[in-house]
Amino acid sequence: MMGDNAMKVIGIGDNVVDDYSHIRTMFPGGNALNFSVYASMLGCDSAYLGVFGSDESAKHVQRTLARIGVDTSHCRCVDGPNGHAILTIEDGERVFISSNKGGISKSVPMEFIFDDLDYLQTFSIVHTSAYSYMDRYLSQLQQLNPLISYDFSDDFESEYALSLCQYIDFGFFSCAEWTEEAAMELLEKAVNKGCTVAVATRGPHEVILFDGRSWFRQAPQVMIPTDTLGAGDAFISGFLISYVGGIANTVVQPALLIENSLEKAASFAAEICRVHGAFGHGLRY
């Protein structure tokens, strides 16, 4: 926990169940939803905004969020299958087998998120992702109060990803297969296109961050993971909550704030690697 941090944040976009077929257990997850849950774990007033299906998977995710205390009051429920991914664990590493690509949510336009602008204006951070079907709404979100964070994941097309950077404040790229030079070049371009802070996570290698002035690096914590699912989302959440929460503190030097936030992010990601699923709450079937 991060003390009395009442910062309000929201994840908008994807939610899924991660179906661990080898142990017949469904865990709630999804990039946007994980951010909402992790932010709650880190002491924020947290909300999730997205589309739920009507099946048992959706009900499990909804029950879990209610139990954790994440606000879902503005979500839509639609008849059809919830987002669902099948995966297994090999030596602590998550291995995806198949997915229904978001289920019913991919056929539901997300315009409804703007039905209550006063609600959206109350948040400090909006986090969304490449799997959230939100790209066409980024320019509208940019006109609102919250800072915008976007997770490009690992299968992005560089030119398209860079074209979105004009609308976002924080861009996160998974670059485990990239050389250090290529990752640095990407981050430089992202900032030049309008992103304030660009971050490349690189699997077992150092995370690299560029803020337009300086380069920062953060080594992952050395540990034997139980389950790496959610580690990237946990890193993003840990960094954002610490960094945005500290911006208002003018006593802290910007460079020191970034270093501290990267350290907290690495520590929180390691913590999440000790948990089954993205954040536990498995349902056997």
Side-chain angles (χ1 to χ4, degrees):
M1 295 290 287
M2 295 182 67
D4 300 324
N5 187 347
M7 184 163 62
K8 283 188 72 177
V9 303
I10 187 167
I12 303 182
D14 61 327
N15 80 87
V16 302
V17 290
D18 293 308
D19 184 345
Y20 283 32
S21 53
H22 60 299
I23 54 171
R24 297 181 61 81
T25 305
M26 296 190 300
F27 295 94
N31 294 109
L33 182 132
N34 287 345
F35 169 76
S36 301
V37 170
Y38 294 149
S40 177
M41 291 169 70
L42 291 167
C44 287
D45 183 352
S46 177
Y48 168 71
L49 181 50
V51 177
F52 294 114
S54 56
D55 53 14
E56 190 51 44
S57 300
K59 291 185 179 68
H60 177 54
V61 177
Q62 289 169 291
R63 282 194 299 263
T64 301
L65 292 177
R67 203 174 301 135
I68 292 169
V70 172
D71 171 28
T72 59
S73 60
H74 286 61
C75 290
R76 287 275 170 95
C77 297
V78 179
D79 197 30
N82 204 70
H84 193 114
I86 297 174
L87 60 156
T88 189
I89 301 296
E90 293 176 4
D91 299 324
E93 293 290 333
R94 52 150 171 73
V95 179
F96 282 99
I97 298 167
S98 65
S99 160
N100 68 356
K101 307 292 185 192
I104 194 66
S105 68
K106 66 176 176 286
S107 60
V108 179
M110 293 290 285
E111 276 97 352
F112 73 87
I113 68 169
F114 299 109
D115 287 353
D116 190 345
L117 288 179
D118 290 344
Y119 176 71
L120 288 182
Q121 295 283 37
T122 63
F123 296 100
S124 298
I125 304 170
V126 165
H127 177 72
T128 190
S129 70
Y131 303 113
S132 292
Y133 307 108
M134 283 290 297
D135 294 2
R136 76 176 90 156
Y137 309 110
L138 289 176
S139 60
Q140 285 169 270
L141 279 174
Q142 187 196 27
Q143 295 164 40
L144 304 179
N145 292 331
L147 295 168
I148 301 174
S149 165
Y150 190 101
D151 180 9
F152 289 94
S153 198
D154 60 357
D155 56 357
F156 56 89
E157 194 276 308
S158 293
E159 287 308 310
Y160 176 68
L162 291 168
S163 76
L164 298 180
C165 287
Q166 61 186 306
Y167 305 120
I168 65 177
D169 299 287
F170 301 94
F172 295 90
F173 301 85
S174 298
C175 299
E177 308 300 320
W178 292 49
T179 65
E180 184 174 342
E181 292 74 21
M184 290 175 72
E185 191 181 329
L186 176 71
L187 298 187
E188 211 160 357
K189 286 179 179 175
V191 170
N192 288 339
K193 289 285 189 180
C195 199
T196 308
V197 173
V199 182
T201 55
R202 300 167 58 238
H205 307 293
E206 285 182 325
V207 172
I208 304 174
L209 180 150
F210 185 54
D211 68 350
R213 293 177 299 279
S214 307
W215 292 93
F216 299 86
R217 284 173 168 72
Q218 174 65 49
Q221 290 196 357
V222 178
M223 62 168 300
I224 298 170
T226 301
D227 179 354
T228 58
L229 187 74
D233 296 336
F235 186 93
I236 290 170
S237 306
F239 176 80
L240 287 172
I241 303 313
S242 176
Y243 180 73
V244 176
I247 287 174
N249 183 355
T250 50
V251 180
V252 181
Q253 294 294 319
L256 188 60
L257 176 59
I258 289 175
E259 287 170 5
N260 289 344
S261 299
L262 285 171
E263 205 173 305
K264 286 180 178 174
S267 176
F268 186 56
E271 199 181 304
I272 292 302
C273 284
R274 296 185 174 94
V275 178
H276 288 289
F279 49 85
H281 294 271
L283 176 70
R284 285 189 62 80
Y285 59 87

